[in-house]
Every structure is written in C-alpha cells, then in structure tokens.
Amino acid sequence: MPLAMNREVFITCAVTGSGGTQDKSPHVPRSPAQIAESAIAAAKAGASVVHCHVRDPETGAPSRDKGLFREVTDRIRESETDVVLNLTAGMGGDIVYGGVETPLPPVEGTDMIGATERVAHVADCRPEICTLDCGTMNFAEADYVMTNTPGMLQAMGKMMTDLGVKPEIEAFDTGHLWYAKQLVKDGILEPDALVQLCMGVPWGAPDDLNTFMAMVNNIPEDWTFSAFALGRNQMPYVAASVLAGGNVRVGLEDNLMLDKGVLAENWQLVERAVGIVENLGARVIGPEEVRKKLRLTKQAPV
Amino acid sequence: MPLAMNREVFITCAVTGSGGTQDKSPHVPRSPAQIAESAIAAAKAGASVVHCHVRDPETGAPSRDKGLFREVTDRIRESETDVVLNLTAGMGGDIVYGGVETPLPPVEGTDMIGATERVAHVADCRPEICTLDCGTMNFAEADYVMTNTPGMLQAMGKMMTDLGVKPEIEAFDTGHLWYAKQLVKDGILEPDALVQLCMGVPWGAPDDLNTFMAMVNNIPEDWTFSAFALGRNQMPYVAASVLAGGNVRVGLEDNLMLDKGVLAENWQLVERAVGIVENLGARVIGPEEVRKKLRLTKQAPV
Amino acid sequence: MPLAMNREVFITCAVTGSGGTQDKSPHVPRSPAQIAESAIAAAKAGASVVHCHVRDPETGAPSRDKGLFREVTDRIRESETDVVLNLTAGMGGDIVYGGVETPLPPVEGTDMIGATERVAHVADCRPEICTLDCGTMNFAEADYVMTNTPGMLQAMGKMMTDLGVKPEIEAFDTGHLWYAKQLVKDGILEPDALVQLCMGVPWGAPDDLNTFMAMVNNIPEDWTFSAFALGRNQMPYVAASVLAGGNVRVGLEDNLMLDKGVLAENWQLVERAVGIVENLGARVIGPEEVRKKLRLTKQAPV
Amino acid sequence: MPLAMNREVFITCAVTGSGGTQDKSPHVPRSPAQIAESAIAAAKAGASVVHCHVRDPETGAPSRDKGLFREVTDRIRESETDVVLNLTAGMGGDIVYGGVETPLPPVEGTDMIGATERVAHVADCRPEICTLDCGTMNFAEADYVMTNTPGMLQAMGKMMTDLGVKPEIEAFDTGHLWYAKQLVKDGILEPDALVQLCMGVPWGAPDDLNTFMAMVNNIPEDWTFSAFALGRNQMPYVAASVLAGGNVRVGLEDNLMLDKGVLAENWQLVERAVGIVENLGARVIGPEEVRKKLRLTKQAPV
C-alpha cells in the first residue's frame, strides 16, 4: 500500500492549556487579551484552528470562568484574522485524592462539576469545535485523576451535538478511542467524528510509533484525526501525524521550547510546523477549507 | 524474525472474580470452600496458577474480607494439589460517581480505601503472587471508575515487594504498561516484572491484534507476560498470547461460557486451554516450573 | 476495535507439494492414486479445499505432467467426497544459476517455460482454484530462484480468469501482495481476490507476528485470505490466521511432522487444525460454502 | 515506550543511480567529473555519505566501468570536502527475460556476471562502504529481475568484509532483511551491520507505515539503519526514518523533483532533508562521526 500521507493538513495551535506552566515561560498567555493575541498571531503564522483554555489574568492559574471564555471568543472573532475556534471543555473533571491511606474525600485541587456546567461556556460562546476528553486516567502527578465517566461523556457529547458544536474527541489511550466509537454507535456523536490522538501524556498512551500506528489503524475511515506529543516530541509528531494521514497540533499547551534553551512563542511553533508540513510535500489548509472538510458551522455567540 | 512463540506456557485460572456474575451461572463459586474446590479442580486440569477473589458465601457479592481470603488460602495450601496462589489486590479502588450533574460525592458502590488496608489480606495470606491494577479507567458501567493513582500504586507496589509477594501488574491499556515500567525504573518493582495484558475490557485497550502487538512490542525483554480477553474471545486469546510469546489466563472471572449455550466450569476452560496450547506445539508447565521461572517464594501464611 | 477473528473458516490441505520431501516421509504421496487418496482422506477430516501438485509415481520427483494432473483431478472428482480442487500452477518458473562466478547459463534443475504451458493442465483439468505465485525471490537454496515476472503473471492471470478458474495468489512477501493489488487494478484479477500469505518461507517474509500483521493490514476488505507457515509453525499459524481474520492451510507440502518425532499423514494435520479452529470458537465450513463464498464454479474437465 | 527517534542523523546522498533517468532531468550527473561535483556539492549541503553509481559520460547510460568508478573516487577523495564514500555493487545482477512464452534465454539488457567481477571496482577503489542488494525480486518493468542469489550474496559479502569495506545491505522487502540476518549469523557480515530499507520500490515492500514499522521492529538492536522511499515520498521518508530511529537517504537516484514541476539538484534535496531533520529536533552528523559510529576505515585506493 502506498504511504497514506495527508497532503492537505490543518494545524491547530493549542495556545495556553491548563498546565502549571504560566511561571515557566513568559510567553504563556494569561489574560483573554493575551490569549486572543497569541491565538491570532498563531493563525497568521498558519494555524487554521486555535484551541483555547482560559487563565486567571493575574495569577495565570487555569480557570473555567465563562466571562473569560467569552472575552477570548469575542476578541478572536472580532479580529480581522479568520480562524476556527476550538474551546476546551476539559475543565471540571479533576479529582485530587487525599493520599494513599485516606484517598477519600477528595482534596484541594479537585474540581468536579456537572455536565451542564462543564458545557456552559460552549453554549454561550458557540465555538466551531470544543473538546471532549474521552475517558478517565491518572494524569502525571501522584494523586490527580482526569475523570470523565461514560455517563458524563454521553451527556456532554449530546449537549455539544445539540448545540451544533463539533466535539473534538481527545483520545489519550486506546480505550478512549474505543469508547469514542461507542459514542458514535450510540448516535451521540456524528459518524464523521474528529479525534485528537494525545500521545505520550503520562499515564496515557506512550508516543512510540507502534502504539501510535495501532491507534491510527483503529480510526474509522470516515473520521478525521490529528495527533500531538509533548515537549521535545512536539515537532516529531507534526511529521508522524502527517505521515500517518493526520493533521497537526502544536503550541505552548504541549511544549514550551522552540530549541534547546530557547523559549517559544505560539506563532514560532506554528511557523516551524508549517515548515515541516511543507517540506514533506503537503499543503497547509486554511480555516474555510477546515470548516468545509469538517462540516463546521461558524455561529454567533449567544 | 521467526515467530517468537512461547513454547513453555503456564496457565492461570481466574476462578471467580468480582463481577456481578454470581447469578448468571451456578458454576461461579461463592464460599471459600467452593472457590478452593474450583481452584483445585482447575489446577488438576492444568492450571499452575490460580487467581482468586472472594465473595460473600451467601449472596455471592464480591468481598474483600480477610477471613475469607485466609480460608481460601488455607484450603488451597492444604490440598494435595500443588498450585501457585495468586490473590487479587484489586478491591478497594472503586468509585461510583453520583451522576452527570452531581458527580460528587461518590455514591453507593464506592469502596475506596487506603493502601495498607488494600494489601492487608496479602500480608496475612502471603500468596506467591498478588495483582496490582496499574492505572485508573472507566470500567464498563456509566459512572464506575477503577481508581488506582500513581501514589497508591507506588505504596501498594512497595508493600508487596517488601512482603516477598510478586506483583502481577494488570495492564488494561497501553498507559498502564508504561506506568508499570516507571515503577520498575523507580525501584518499586523488580526488573523481571510480571504483567497481565487485560485485553478488550471496556473501556481499556480493545482486543484487536494491532493493539495487542503494540503492547507486546513494548514489554521489556526480561519481563514475563500473560494475556487474556473476555467472553467469547477468551479461547482466541489463549492462542494469541502463546503466539506472541506469552502465557495464558482463562476462567469464570472473564468468561462464563464453554460453548454457545453451554455454561462452563473452571476446569473445563482450563482443559480447553491446555488443548489449544498443546495443539500449537507448546508445553504446559507446572507450578514448580512457574515458581522457578518467576523466582517466586512459597511462604507460610502469617 | 474488537478482535477481527474469522468465525467461519475453511481449511486447505496442501497434499504433497514439490519439495524434495518424498524420501523424508513415507506419507508423502507420489502417484496420482496416492495423492487423490490422501486428498480425499484430508477432505473427510475437514479440509474443504485440497491443493495438489503431482510427482513422478516412481521416484516421487516433482512433475508437471498434464496426464498426472488429470488423473489426480479425475480421481478426486469421481470420489464420493466433495472437495474444492486447487491445482498448483507454480511449476515451470524455476531457475538454478551456474554458481557465483558464472551464474549464466542456468544449470540443471532449471525449468523455465512459457505462460501457456504453465497453465496447460489448468486449462485441461478446470479446477475451481489454481495458484499464482505472485513474484520472484530467492528460494531457500544457494542458487535457486522462483521466477515469476510481472509480464508472466499478467499473462497467466489473464488465462486463469478467462478459464473461469479462480487464482489463489501466493504472496511470499509484502511486495508480492502489492503486485497482486496491481493485477486487480489492471483488471487481470477480479476485485474479490483470494490470497494465501506464505509466511516464513526462506527468503520471503519471516513469520513473526509484526510482519504478518503488516501484510494482513494491507489486504483489501473485499478479499479473502488464508495463511500458513512451515514446519513446526504450521499449527501456530492455523491459530494466527484465524485470529487475524483468515483461513487455514496445513498439509505435508509445508510440514512433515505431527509431533516431535512423529511423522504425520495429511488427514491427521487437518484433524488437528480442525481441533484448533473449533477450540477457538470458530466453525469449519464445507466445500459448498467455500464455493459460494469465493464465487467458484465447479467445471467439468475438458 | 517513548518515541525512539534518532537524534544524531547522517544523510546519504544517492547521487545518480542506474535508472533510465538521464534524459528526464539535466541535473542527473553523467561523467565522473559531474558525479563527483554533484556529490561534493551534496556533501557541502550536509550529506556525510555519498552513494555513487557511474554512467557513460556521453549517453548517460548506466555503467560498471572500473575506470569510471576510479575517476569518481579519486575526484571525491582529492576534493577538500570530506565525505564518506559509498559505491554501488548492485550492477551485474540484471536479467531480462525473453517474454512470457519464451522466457529463456535472457535477452538484451541482461548483465549477469560473477561475484569477483561485481566487486572488482570495490577492490580497486576501496570506498568506506559499498552496497549489497540482499535478494532477488521483480523490479518494476515487465520482464526485468534484480537477481542476487544467496550464494552470490555470500560470496560478495565475504569479499567486501575481507576488503575492509562495510557492506550496506539494501533490503527491498522483509525477506531481504531476514536473509541479511542470516549472513550475520553465518559470520559473513559483522554483527553491527548497516542496512538501508528501500521502501516503495516496485515490487518490493510498499512504503506504508505498517510495513515500514514491521521491518524496523525486525532490525537487531546493534545494527544501524537508514531508509528511503521514491519520488514524492522521498521527503516524507526523511521524517519517517528519523522518527523510527534511523538515518536518511535522498538524492536524484530516487527522486528527480524538488517541488511539483521543479527539477531538483542533489544539494537541494540534501538541504531540504537537513531542514526536516533539524526541525524535528535532531542533529545532522558529519563524516568523521559517521566513520566512528559505523567503524569505517578510510583506505587509499589500490
């Protein structure tokens, strides 16, 4: 079989994330204005999708404040640079256990809310895309668990579909991808689903190519996929995903460094990704082509 | 490369489990006496390892009562049939969320206890092997999550190693296997680790062969592995695991049926697995060979 | 993705082959009567397809004598045991080079003939299936090359299709499978092609599972496949092929031994394969079901 | 397992090849002076190895004239640009059959010579590396077969090893790689072998990633590998090989185009490969580092 490379690639820039990175780099945007500005710069550099979280404008701490999401949305929508808006809906599924001898009740850091509240900013902002973290797993630190039960995913997925917002399934391991297929089978997600393979996030799927290809081989033919890896494997995964037939995600959410010892800005990471994609012989497509490909509707905020 | 098949295979019988299966088949053993009897029959049929949970003798509901574990242990140890004892340590990591709008606090069905208590019956019974479910994931039903955080796994793993009991890592997805390697790297597990690949358990790794091979390719060379799948894929995975270089697990914990419409007993499932293994040209090894291979110590209960 | 196992499996018995095995086992049939008898016994044991070569009745040396093929055909067709007939068309593509310093001209052992002659016995006997070795490669010994050029394959493939005989593509390596797809694309083979993955034949594809799965992943969805490996990996590949979604080939062409030190008869190998297939939970299908599945026409000899 | 990417990569430029490409691009070098000049320009652009064939200086037809190889060698060695010299030993294993009805005797285009003669220019020029095409297969056109029998490979391999020239095994399919391992096992090649995975050459291994990974998974740990694909997949395979842990080959032998409609020069292809490698975060290593890594000896011509 000839190499099933994607020759028409879209790049998502994951602008800021919810990691504790705000004090590790001055380029991690905090306020809505900064986030929008960084997103727009990324779009100008070639990102046709911007994936946004919000942060406390002062402390940089991750937030799920509806007003902040709305401000980011408005600023991006009102700019002259067209870009597909992708908002996280990952917040509010966080549990931190109370330690190895008394795990319950959950302790500080826990933020575990209902489906309606988790999707409230999506209902308000009406981005073209929002994320759906498609499972539960240990997430790096000792006692923190990213928690999204099947029931929660069904509820959130249905709300998103009803809102006309395309869920981007985040699959952090092979089982999340499996469950995403179940959501399609159950009619909760549309058959031409969109999935992001999140590789090398401890403790989900490792980012070796055998694991990656096992996941790629399990994506239905009518789905669209993208993939990323963390840290210094961010640029390698730009290539890996395109080679395997997918699209690309880069940005400060996943990686702070441009080169060894050099802190990156979002537009620089996008620029480098564009360079890789084009050197592979593929074309970077723009936001209108992405909307058409993914059947996205650009809606006005409510 | 020539087929890396395992030609000296051990069979584990997973005797009863903790699933809600006790009313689906009269052969699911409930009382310690029944569990021991079923385990011994399995051993006579060719299982050199028996993996045991305990249940309420009356209702058959899953239990983690120390006294029940001890009775099972004593009955198996006192029988004239030699077999390697493998006790679950999976109980006590169960959370059931309160639904999609008010996930917290956890509701009935939750059983989330500390590391010391989770390992108490192991400290008491001193089996050669006990299990270590190496991660957190959605587990089949809507709001139930199997919860084992990294901190918990470190604590439990260290206790097991200190007790001289070999942990059998249960890897339900690729990330669990990755974390198990971290536990070895951290010195919590010994370098020649033992891992069970649990395939096709919703919502962990699906049981297609590409995913399975990606996991097998990621097992360090000095580890020993076994694999199983659920339901009607139990016998196919006997073959799959042997072909890929691994060992075998069958039993009523994972599958109730011998043939379509025919409920199985444990010894029958073992007997069928022996048939497959031998027809593939491999030899089934006994408990003494398993102890030598895995460096297991048969200890007296405390 | 759930295990894509084949649950309705046909077994081909490769009755005698053209290897130099006739003096290694008294059970390798030589005369048409012996070949037919062994084939029929295999069919009675569960083979729904018999793949036949012919040999010199006295010496057992491989032959491509039309009369011998006809006698085998007639004897099998006239028996009361129904079975799908599959005749080799692999003979006549053999070159033995003259050594490392003077490779040309070819020396004794060479048998390199034209397409019409290679297919003559097929035109005469009209089996339901005949083989098409889909490439050129070094074949075990120092200076022997199995030689089937693209031009030859196009010519032979067209003749077979025109005769209403289904070609069974033999793919000994990944490139042979690739070329087979080209033959379909060129309209020489029908879209629902039949392929035999010949694993572990020196010096074609090795029989490790990663290589096998790479080939399986490259088989178009509307094709039917079978797979085999040599010697002591014959029975393991019965399981491997079924697990991967394929059918099964066993027989003395590929393996002489039933167990260590025990020479096999064809029917015994088939019987063992039936045991494996059934223990995996699949059903062995008969010749009429195979004809329907593969759209085969049972023709009268000319 | 973390991504096993190669972070210290060498680039081979395959300068001119023996394909019928000389009239398709004015940049395909013909004379020894042109070949050396193109090779040196490639080295200056970042290739630390140059893989050279020779051609008739007038017609551009592929040649195996010893004098031409010597002139290329001398010119490259005498330049001020250091580069590892890799000469083909692929010539002289070519058979063109006489068509589908009378395949033998071979016809025009056939060039099938003895091992000593095939290695004569290597014995004369003493490059650090020469190639060893590790098998026999149909090669694109209808009746042409690249023919290298096991006997021939043993003889040539031994001659190379005795000359102190490192063979670069060319593996065009999975069976070629298998046989290369046999050559190591037989003591003909050294244990730390060097292999080039030649992907997507009709009718060898296709260049899809599943097939590629199956081959990569079969490379022994102490070997060094490189990989390439043809035409527009040349640059994608720069990334694929680095991601999978390998090194890189580009050049006019495998691909004539820089971009759609733009004919390439060798140095431009190398330059682009350097860009990809560096954007992935890897370092391009120079000729002295390659010699050290591969234990190569720079010898004087005889």
Side-chain angles (χ1 to χ4, degrees):
Chain A
M1 210 131 87
L3 185 65
M5 178 176 146
N6 184 8
R7 296 189 186 268
E8 309 219 317
V9 175
F10 66 82
I11 298 173
T12 295
C13 181
V15 175
T16 189
S18 293
T21 52
Q22 65 273 19
D23 297 325
K24 294 186 184 157
S25 167
H27 304 310
V28 174
R30 301 181 175 200
S31 68
Q34 289 169 338
I35 291 168
E37 185 185 22
S38 196
I40 291 161
K44 284 181 174 157
S48 35
V49 183
V50 288
H51 168 67
C52 299
H53 294 233
V54 293
R55 292 176 178 273
D56 180 288
E58 297 307 315
T59 63
S63 166
R64 52 180 175 79
D65 181 278
K66 263 177 66 175
L68 297 174
F69 275 113
R70 182 60 175 263
E71 189 182 342
V72 166
T73 297
D74 290 344
R75 285 179 176 272
I76 289 174
R77 284 277 164 88
E78 286 158 13
S79 95
E80 288 175 1
T81 303
D82 187 29
V83 68
V84 173
L85 185 62
N86 170 335
L87 295 183
T88 186
M91 313 296 291
D94 304 319
I95 301 191
V96 182
Y97 291 92
V100 300
E101 293 300 346
T102 53
L104 286 182
V107 296
E108 197 188 329
T110 297
D111 180 33
M112 191 72 187
I113 57 177
T116 303
E117 193 179 353
R118 288 186 68 176
V119 176
H121 64 294
V122 175
D124 182 46
C125 298
R126 303 284 169 116
E128 287 103 318
I129 300 172
C130 69
T131 55
L132 186 62
D133 294 339
C134 214
T136 298
M137 69 173 203
N138 295 333
F139 210 94
E141 298 114 72
D143 295 311
Y144 166 53
V145 174
M146 176 182 84
T147 306
N148 302 285
T149 65
M152 180 65 78
L153 292 168
Q154 289 161 25
M156 291 174 69
K158 187 168 184 329
M159 289 172 188
M160 293 167 183
T161 300
D162 290 349
L163 288 166
V165 176
K166 179 98 179 177
E168 181 185 79
I169 299 152
E170 311 287 292
F172 292 81
D173 212 335
T174 72
H176 299 191
L177 180 57
W178 185 17
Y179 186 63
K181 293 197 266 192
Q182 187 61 41
L183 287 173
V184 170
K185 202 177 287 179
D186 292 344
I188 288 165
L189 303 186
E190 309 227 22
D192 57 339
L194 169 66
V195 66
Q196 186 76 252
L197 303 180
C198 310
M199 307 300 298
V201 179
W203 297 106
D207 62 6
D208 65 280
L209 294 186
N210 284 318
T211 302
F212 178 56
M213 288 306 298
M215 292 183 80
V216 170
N217 286 326
N218 269 349
I219 296 173
E221 278 203 16
D222 47 356
W223 290 28
T224 299
F225 80 94
S226 176
F228 71 87
L230 299 187
R232 70 173 186 167
N233 287 340
Q234 179 167 83
M235 291 304 154
Y237 255 78
V238 169
S241 186
V242 172
L243 290 171
N247 299 283
V248 163
R249 166 170 152 173
V250 293
L252 293 173
E253 176 168 349
D254 307 323
N255 165 44
L256 296 177
M257 310 303 291
L258 186 63
D259 289 306
K260 205 173 174 183
V262 183
L263 290 167
E265 295 194 56
N266 275 310
W267 67 267
Q268 293 173 310
L269 296 170
V270 172
E271 189 176 73
R272 183 159 293 176
V274 170
I276 294 174
V277 172
E278 291 183 346
N279 276 336
L280 296 178
R283 189 169 68 82
V284 174
I285 65 175
E288 268 311 306
E289 287 174 282
V290 173
R291 286 190 191 97
K292 195 170 162 192
K293 181 183 175 57
L294 300 178
R295 301 194 299 114
L296 304 176
T297 310
K298 191 169 180 175
Q299 307 180 60
V302 173
Chain B
M1 212 132 87
L3 185 66
M5 177 179 147
N6 183 8
R7 296 189 185 268
E8 308 221 317
V9 175
F10 66 82
I11 299 172
T12 296
C13 181
V15 176
T16 189
S18 293
T21 52
Q22 66 274 19
D23 297 325
K24 295 186 184 157
S25 168
H27 303 311
V28 174
R30 302 181 176 202
S31 68
Q34 288 168 338
I35 291 170
E37 184 184 24
S38 196
I40 291 161
K44 282 181 176 156
S48 35
V49 183
V50 288
H51 168 67
C52 299
H53 293 234
V54 293
R55 293 176 177 274
D56 180 288
E58 295 308 314
T59 64
S63 167
R64 52 180 174 79
D65 182 278
K66 263 177 67 176
L68 297 173
F69 275 113
R70 182 61 176 262
E71 188 181 342
V72 167
T73 297
D74 289 345
R75 285 180 177 272
I76 290 174
R77 285 278 164 87
E78 286 158 12
S79 95
E80 288 175 1
T81 303
D82 187 29
V83 68
V84 172
L85 184 63
N86 170 336
L87 294 184
T88 187
M91 313 297 290
D94 304 320
I95 301 191
V96 182
Y97 292 91
V100 300
E101 293 300 347
T102 52
L104 287 183
V107 297
E108 197 188 329
T110 297
D111 180 32
M112 190 71 187
I113 56 175
T116 303
E117 193 179 351
R118 288 185 69 178
V119 176
H121 63 295
V122 175
D124 183 45
C125 297
R126 304 286 167 112
E128 286 102 320
I129 300 173
C130 70
T131 55
L132 185 63
D133 294 340
C134 214
T136 299
M137 70 173 204
N138 295 333
F139 210 95
E141 298 113 70
D143 296 311
Y144 166 54
V145 174
M146 176 182 84
T147 306
N148 302 284
T149 64
M152 182 65 79
L153 292 169
Q154 289 161 24
M156 290 175 70
K158 185 167 184 330
M159 289 172 187
M160 293 167 183
T161 301
D162 289 348
L163 287 167
V165 175
K166 178 99 180 175
E168 181 185 78
I169 299 152
E170 311 288 290
F172 292 81
D173 212 335
T174 72
H176 299 191
L177 179 57
W178 185 17
Y179 186 63
K181 291 198 267 192
Q182 186 62 40
L183 287 173
V184 169
K185 201 177 288 180
D186 292 343
I188 288 164
L189 302 186
E190 309 228 21
D192 57 338
L194 171 66
V195 65
Q196 186 77 252
L197 303 180
C198 311
M199 306 301 298
V201 179
W203 299 105
D207 63 5
D208 65 281
L209 294 186
N210 284 317
T211 302
F212 178 55
M213 287 308 297
M215 292 184 79
V216 169
N217 286 325
N218 269 348
I219 296 173
E221 277 203 17
D222 46 355
W223 290 28
T224 298
F225 81 94
S226 176
F228 71 87
L230 300 188
R232 70 173 185 167
N233 287 341
Q234 178 166 85
M235 291 304 153
Y237 255 79
V238 168
S241 187
V242 171
L243 289 171
N247 299 282
V248 163
R249 166 170 151 174
V250 293
L252 293 172
E253 175 168 349
D254 306 323
N255 165 42
L256 296 177
M257 309 303 290
L258 186 63
D259 288 307
K260 205 173 174 183
V262 183
L263 290 167
E265 296 194 55
N266 276 309
W267 67 266
Q268 293 172 310
L269 296 169
V270 172
E271 188 176 75
R272 184 159 293 179
V274 169
I276 293 174
V277 171
E278 291 182 347
N279 276 337
L280 296 178
R283 189 169 68 83
V284 174
I285 65 175
E288 268 309 306
E289 286 174 282
V290 173
R291 286 189 192 100
K292 196 170 161 190
K293 181 183 175 56
L294 301 178
R295 301 193 301 113
L296 304 176
T297 310
K298 191 169 181 177
Q299 306 179 62
V302 173
Chain C
M1 213 132 85
L3 186 65
M5 180 177 145
N6 184 8
R7 297 189 185 268
E8 306 221 318
V9 175
F10 66 83
I11 298 173
T12 296
C13 181
V15 176
T16 187
S18 292
T21 51
Q22 65 274 19
D23 298 325
K24 294 186 185 157
S25 168
H27 303 312
V28 174
R30 302 182 175 200
S31 69
Q34 289 169 337
I35 291 169
E37 185 184 21
S38 196
I40 292 161
K44 285 182 174 154
S48 36
V49 184
V50 289
H51 168 67
C52 299
H53 293 234
V54 293
R55 293 176 177 273
D56 180 288
E58 296 307 315
T59 64
S63 167
R64 52 179 175 78
D65 182 277
K66 264 177 65 175
L68 297 173
F69 274 113
R70 182 61 176 263
E71 189 182 342
V72 166
T73 298
D74 288 345
R75 285 179 176 271
I76 290 174
R77 286 276 164 89
E78 285 159 13
S79 94
E80 288 176 2
T81 304
D82 187 28
V83 68
V84 172
L85 184 62
N86 170 335
L87 294 184
T88 185
M91 314 295 292
D94 304 320
I95 301 191
V96 182
Y97 291 91
V100 298
E101 291 302 345
T102 53
L104 288 182
V107 297
E108 199 188 327
T110 298
D111 180 33
M112 190 73 188
I113 58 176
T116 304
E117 194 178 352
R118 287 185 70 177
V119 175
H121 64 293
V122 174
D124 183 45
C125 298
R126 304 287 166 112
E128 287 102 320
I129 300 172
C130 70
T131 55
L132 185 64
D133 294 340
C134 215
T136 299
M137 71 172 202
N138 296 332
F139 210 94
E141 299 112 71
D143 296 311
Y144 166 55
V145 174
M146 176 181 83
T147 306
N148 302 285
T149 65
M152 181 66 79
L153 292 168
Q154 288 161 26
M156 291 174 68
K158 185 167 185 328
M159 289 173 187
M160 294 167 182
T161 300
D162 289 349
L163 287 167
V165 176
K166 179 98 178 178
E168 181 185 78
I169 299 153
E170 312 287 292
F172 293 81
D173 212 335
T174 72
H176 299 191
L177 179 58
W178 185 16
Y179 187 64
K181 291 197 266 191
Q182 186 62 41
L183 287 173
V184 170
K185 201 177 288 179
D186 292 344
I188 288 165
L189 302 186
E190 310 226 23
D192 59 338
L194 170 64
V195 64
Q196 185 76 253
L197 303 180
C198 310
M199 305 302 297
V201 179
W203 297 106
D207 61 7
D208 65 281
L209 293 186
N210 284 317
T211 302
F212 178 56
M213 287 308 296
M215 292 184 78
V216 169
N217 285 327
N218 269 347
I219 296 174
E221 278 203 16
D222 47 356
W223 289 28
T224 298
F225 81 94
S226 175
F228 71 88
L230 301 187
R232 70 173 187 168
N233 287 341
Q234 179 165 83
M235 290 306 153
Y237 255 77
V238 168
S241 187
V242 172
L243 290 171
N247 299 282
V248 163
R249 166 171 151 173
V250 294
L252 294 173
E253 177 169 348
D254 307 323
N255 165 42
L256 297 177
M257 311 302 291
L258 186 63
D259 288 306
K260 204 173 176 183
V262 183
L263 290 167
E265 294 194 57
N266 276 309
W267 67 267
Q268 292 174 309
L269 295 169
V270 171
E271 189 176 74
R272 184 159 294 178
V274 169
I276 293 174
V277 172
E278 292 183 346
N279 276 336
L280 295 178
R283 188 170 68 83
V284 174
I285 65 175
E288 267 311 305
E289 286 174 281
V290 173
R291 286 190 193 99
K292 196 170 163 192
K293 179 182 177 58
L294 301 178
R295 299 195 301 113
L296 303 177
T297 312
K298 190 168 180 175
Q299 306 181 60
V302 173
Chain D
M1 212 132 85
L3 185 66
M5 179 177 145
N6 184 8
R7 297 189 185 266
E8 308 221 315
V9 175
F10 67 82
I11 298 173
T12 295
C13 181
V15 175
T16 189
S18 293
T21 52
Q22 66 273 19
D23 298 325
K24 293 186 185 157
S25 168
H27 302 312
V28 174
R30 301 182 176 202
S31 68
Q34 288 169 338
I35 292 169
E37 186 185 20
S38 196
I40 291 162
K44 284 180 174 156
S48 36
V49 182
V50 289
H51 168 67
C52 300
H53 292 233
V54 293
R55 292 177 178 273
D56 179 288
E58 296 308 314
T59 63
S63 168
R64 52 179 173 80
D65 181 278
K66 263 177 66 175
L68 297 173
F69 275 113
R70 182 61 176 262
E71 189 182 340
V72 166
T73 299
D74 289 345
R75 284 178 177 273
I76 290 174
R77 286 277 163 87
E78 284 159 13
S79 93
E80 287 176 1
T81 304
D82 187 29
V83 67
V84 172
L85 184 63
N86 170 335
L87 295 183
T88 185
M91 314 295 291
D94 303 321
I95 301 190
V96 182
Y97 291 92
V100 299
E101 291 301 345
T102 52
L104 287 183
V107 296
E108 198 188 328
T110 297
D111 179 33
M112 191 71 188
I113 57 177
T116 303
E117 194 179 352
R118 288 185 70 176
V119 176
H121 64 295
V122 175
D124 184 44
C125 298
R126 305 286 167 112
E128 285 103 321
I129 300 172
C130 70
T131 55
L132 185 63
D133 293 341
C134 215
T136 298
M137 71 173 202
N138 296 334
F139 209 95
E141 299 112 71
D143 295 312
Y144 165 53
V145 175
M146 176 182 82
T147 306
N148 303 284
T149 64
M152 181 66 78
L153 292 168
Q154 289 161 24
M156 290 175 68
K158 185 168 184 329
M159 288 173 188
M160 293 167 183
T161 300
D162 289 349
L163 287 167
V165 176
K166 178 98 178 179
E168 180 185 79
I169 298 153
E170 310 289 290
F172 292 81
D173 212 334
T174 72
H176 298 191
L177 179 57
W178 185 16
Y179 187 63
K181 292 198 265 191
Q182 186 61 41
L183 287 173
V184 169
K185 202 178 288 180
D186 292 344
I188 287 164
L189 302 186
E190 309 227 22
D192 58 340
L194 170 65
V195 65
Q196 185 76 251
L197 303 181
C198 310
M199 306 302 296
V201 179
W203 298 106
D207 61 6
D208 65 279
L209 294 185
N210 284 318
T211 302
F212 178 56
M213 286 308 296
M215 292 184 78
V216 169
N217 285 327
N218 269 346
I219 295 175
E221 278 204 15
D222 46 356
W223 289 29
T224 298
F225 81 94
S226 176
F228 71 87
L230 299 187
R232 70 173 186 166
N233 287 341
Q234 179 166 83
M235 290 306 153
Y237 255 79
V238 168
S241 187
V242 172
L243 289 170
N247 299 282
V248 163
R249 166 171 152 173
V250 293
L252 294 173
E253 176 168 349
D254 307 324
N255 164 43
L256 296 177
M257 310 304 290
L258 185 62
D259 289 306
K260 206 174 175 184
V262 183
L263 291 167
E265 295 194 57
N266 275 309
W267 68 266
Q268 293 173 309
L269 296 169
V270 171
E271 191 177 72
R272 185 159 292 177
V274 169
I276 294 174
V277 172
E278 290 183 347
N279 276 337
L280 295 178
R283 188 169 68 83
V284 174
I285 64 175
E288 268 309 306
E289 285 174 283
V290 173
R291 286 190 192 100
K292 195 171 162 191
K293 181 183 175 55
L294 300 178
R295 299 195 301 113
L296 303 177
T297 311
K298 190 170 180 175
Q299 307 180 58
V302 173

